[in-house]
Amino acid sequence: MHGTQVHDTQRPVISVRNLWKVFGPKAARVPGSAELGALSRRELLDRTGCTAAVRDIDFDVAPGEVFVVMGLSGSGKSTLVRCLTRLVEPTAGEVVFEGEDILRADPKRLRDLRRNKFSMVFQHFGLLPHRTVVDNVSYGLEIRGVSKAERVKRAKEVIELVGLDGYEGSYPDQLSGGMQQRVGLARALAGDPDVLLFDEPFSALDPLIRRDMQSEVIRLHHEVGKTMVFITHDLSEALKLGDRILIMRDGALVQIGTGDELVAAPADDYVRDFVRDVPRSHVLTLKWIMRPKRDDDPLDGPELGPDVVVREATRSVLAAEKPVKVVKDGELLGIVGDEEILSVIAGGSDS
Amino acid sequence: MVATSRTTVSTRLPKMSIVVRNRGRIVAGILAVWLLLWLVLRGTHTLALGGAQLTTVHHWFNDLNDAIGAGRDSNPLFLYFFDYIRVGIDEFVVFVQSIIAQPSFDRPVPLIGWFGVVALVGFVSWAVANVRVALLATAGFFFLGLQGLWRESMDTLALTLAAVIISLLVGIPLGIWAGMSDRFNRLVTPVLDFMQIMPSFVYLAPLTLFFLIGPASATIATLIYAAPPVIRLTAHGIRSAPHDTVEASESLGSTRTQTLTKVLLPAAKRTIVLGVNQTIMAALAMVTIAALIDAPGLGKTVVKALQTLDVGTAFNAGLAIVVMAIVLDRVTTAAADRGRRNRPYRIVLWLAALPTAFAVWLSYTYVWAAEFDSSLDIGSRIAVWAGDATTWVQSNLAPVTNGVKDVFTLVLIDPLQSVLADSPWWLVAAAVVAISLVVGSVRAAIVSAVCLALIVLSGLWSDSMTTLASTIVATVFTMIIAVLAGVWMGRSRRADRVIRPVLDAGQTMPVFVYLVPFLALFAASRFTAIAAAVVYAVPVATKIIADGVRGVSGTTVEASVASGSSTWQTITKVQLPMSARAVALATNQGLIYVLCMVVVGGLVGAGALGYDVVAGFSQGQLYGKGLAAGIAIVLLGVMLDRLTQAAANRTHRGG
Ligand SMILES: Nc1ncnc2c1ncn2[C@@H]1O[C@H](COP(=O)(O)OP(=O)(O)OP(=O)(O)O)[C@@H](O)[C@H]1O
Ligand SMILES: [Mg+2]
């Protein structure tokens, strides 16, 4: 496993340790048993009738980070994200939020956390069909007991923030899918939570609207700077939004890393398959393609940082007479010449 | 695609039909043996019982009734339990009656007179539904007054309202509980099933043991019959609330109560209103039937008229029941379909409350608004007209109607009745158990054996066999019509669009209503009762078959057509066999509906068990026999239900 720990020096907002969720009869025996825990999902199902949707997962999420969880359908992403606020009750493990183990919270404390600290955006929106946009957005405030005037005021603010002003009095079925998801987003933002959870929020939308919404999330992330945990099965979405990406298979963690780490150094064939069709030049940075300095390299070429994406470096590398030096803090890390650049752009083959 | 479907068609069906054919041969064998023995043994061991004859069991029920009657004033169970319920319900009913139906509070008239009631009905209909049905409701209720049946109608309405209010007070919370708790849901579902398969008139008799003849028994019987739909549909509505929305609400930190009141109930509202609709219709149907145990209202007018074969009066009162049923049904259906309302609309609605209140005050204060002007009465004219029409039909169409009736009676009813009722009882019992074993299962055979034994014990074997014969004839006809109409509807969307509303309307009508036209056409006879039962049972059976035929996968049908089948072959070799389960289920439901009409049929010449039950209500010394007859009907019902269900399951498994 790669990079389980947060790179930042900051304390993580969420730390997940040895998290298990097993569906089925007498689920609790599975995490404890080394023998059962080692079985594949299929074998476990045949042996015990249980499905291990999340098995032994560890990760940390840093404050302000966009943390993406990815995997094929059925790999346990939705279950994992629901375990974080116990919409699905985990079978074993720890979910520590700001130093507090959520799995030990009593119902009242759990409600408080859900009301004030977390919000979630759902794949199929989950709007209340019998309520207008304003009433949907202010629902979370309503159940906290916020006064009507105050919650309408706050709702109008977030509705404006997600670009839905003018639709306050509409009902969900009068809005397009993209607009409905904006309502879902506004509802999640209304309570001013610390952490936003997204469960494939855009996979029910068509591609153009999806792109709009992704930009919207990026914009919001810049504006409100919240920590986000984002589930998707779309790699380009993951690369576009995610600071770091966790890849799951059959409930287990396969790899955690930044986009370029996954593309450049996939942990196994499953991940390699995932990233196969990614345009590598859009993701890889110079540090992944540079070669060590050779003695015959001229050292008077231009300098670039190691985190510059290949696509952006292409023009300057090809235009330069001499190979480009990759430099960080004045230290020479390596050399990138036409050859390295062209091999990335031309070839899909793994480095 | 086509090829694979074709192989499934051609490999699966023959196997099934071989099994069916084998079973068919065994059943035919059993029937042949039975017929042979019947020829030899007919008339012996028939356990026949004369009309006024009683067995020890009947005496014992009579004594039980007397004992309970005598103990009523001293037995603590009565003093502290049954009597409280009875008095409580009685008072509630009297209270509702005193508002709209009966003179009360030292006034010669009810609190609210016809003018106020009509205005209120219009206003409430508008408030819960829309202007169109409000107009319909107003016109409908005004018409009730014109028919000269205002007080009877209001009695029926008061009883229905009382029963509906109690049903909803009990049913909606139970439904919510069943919607939220899997365990409770598993517990109530079979109970609700049983409450609904019981022929509704049957529990009238035992109820009178504990709650006397009168409004309390009528209301409780209505409650038993009318509460299940709202419980079921409330639970269903809550269970089918979109999971996403419920989860979203939880993710925001709702408590259980908040999720219930703000998400689940609003989401289930439409379904719950449909449940209320079904409950109201069931209550109305039952309140009219409860006339048999002296419940006041339109039902009583119909019963009295039927007993004196006065078709005209029965028609007028039956028409009033139809009008009330249509109004209640349209209003509640429209309430379920109501769209969103904007603010100006709501303001206008509130303004309309003022004239309504004024109308209510007028009807409280002035005689003209309290009592419907009897000089406007067109009811007697309707009665005379319907009576004349009946006389005309009976004198002019007699050759046709009597011909039809006689042919059916001679060719079908009489022979079957003779085989069932004139065979020695042990022969019938043995044959029925054997058939249960062959077409059903071991369990079905055991159930049949127990039910038959208990029927023998009830002392009403012969009457039970007569009723069974009518039931079988009625069910066969129901199924013939249902299969024809169902296949047509299943194959043609247009036919479905035209026929379905008619069936829906047929299903909402209270059962009494069916009897009147048949009585006019065929006078009192077994045939009349059977015809009414067929008409009553056809809608439900047809719908099930239509849905079954429609449910056959389009690809399979296409494959059959592509391989050159004619329409007839497609129907008989693909669509019907593949909807065999629907046909079996339709037979089951058809049987239960037919049995429901047995008691009602007793009023118009069906004789046998139906007559025994009706006579038991009216003549004290026949009480025990009536109770035994009610039990025998339930036993027949349970036996036929288990048997057809077992057969259906077997068909489903294909062998
Ligand atoms: N309530 C449940 N009961 C039993 N099994 C469940 C339940 N919920 C999920 N599972 C199983 O857990 C596994 C993971 O499901 P999950 O919904 O978390 O996958 P996912 O990665 O979100 O898939 P998708 O991309 O399709 O949403 C699946 O095999 C699923 O069948
Ligand atoms: Mg999912």
Side-chain angles (χ1 to χ4, degrees), chain B residues 89-108:
Chain B
I89 291 179
D90 273 344
E91 289 201 340
F92 182 59
V93 172
V94 167
F95 171 73
V96 180
Q97 277 181 311
S98 69
I99 296 177
I100 56 172
Q102 293 290 336
S104 54
F105 304 107
D106 299 328
R107 292 157 49 90

Side-chain angles (χ1 to χ4, degrees), chain A residues 78 123 199-200:
Chain A
S78 300
Q123 179 172 4
D199 185 11
E200 302 200 24

Side-chain angles (χ1 to χ4, degrees), chain A residues 160-216:
Chain A
E160 201 184 315
L161 186 66
V162 299
L164 269 185
D165 20 350
Y167 292 96
E168 288 87 350
S170 308
Y171 286 88
D173 58 6
Q174 298 165 334
L175 303 179
S176 71
M179 288 156 91
Q180 291 189 35
Q181 194 55 297
R182 281 170 203 263
V183 179
L185 203 53
R187 178 177 63 186
L189 289 170
D192 199 21
D194 295 355
V195 179
L196 283 168
L197 309 174
F198 295 82
D199 185 11
E200 302 200 24
F202 308 139
S203 39
L205 307 179
D206 58 48
L208 286 181
I209 298 184
R210 191 184 311 171
R211 212 158 61 206
D212 274 2
M213 295 297 293
Q214 287 163 354
S215 316
E216 192 74 29

Side-chain angles (χ1 to χ4, degrees), chain A residues 82 115 139 142-143 171, chain B residues 244 247 249 253 258 262 340:
Chain A
R82 280 167 176 70
R115 286 178 182 186
Y139 179 78
E142 181 182 332
I143 58 179
Y171 286 88
Chain B
D244 259 47
E247 199 172 38
S249 158
Q258 283 171 330
K262 290 171 195 279
R340 297 191 182 102

Side-chain angles (χ1 to χ4, degrees), chain A residues 21-24 41 50-54 70-82 88 123 199-200 203 231-233 248 250-251, chain B residues 243:
Chain A
K21 174 64 199 181
V22 182
F23 292 106
R41 191 185 260 194
C50 291
T51 311
V54 171
M70 246 188 76
L72 297 178
S73 187
S75 56
K77 309 178 295 292
S78 300
T79 310
L80 174 63
V81 75
R82 280 167 176 70
V88 165
Q123 179 172 4
D199 185 11
E200 302 200 24
S203 39
I231 309 292
T232 179
H233 61 241
M248 287 179 83
D250 286 354
Chain B
H243 179 250

Side-chain angles (χ1 to χ4, degrees), chain B residues 141-150 372 376-380 382:
Chain B
F141 270 63
F142 189 73
F143 183 71
L144 295 177
L146 287 182
Q147 286 186 290
L149 291 169
W150 184 257
F372 208 93
L376 291 175
D377 183 357
I378 58 167
S380 45
I382 294 178

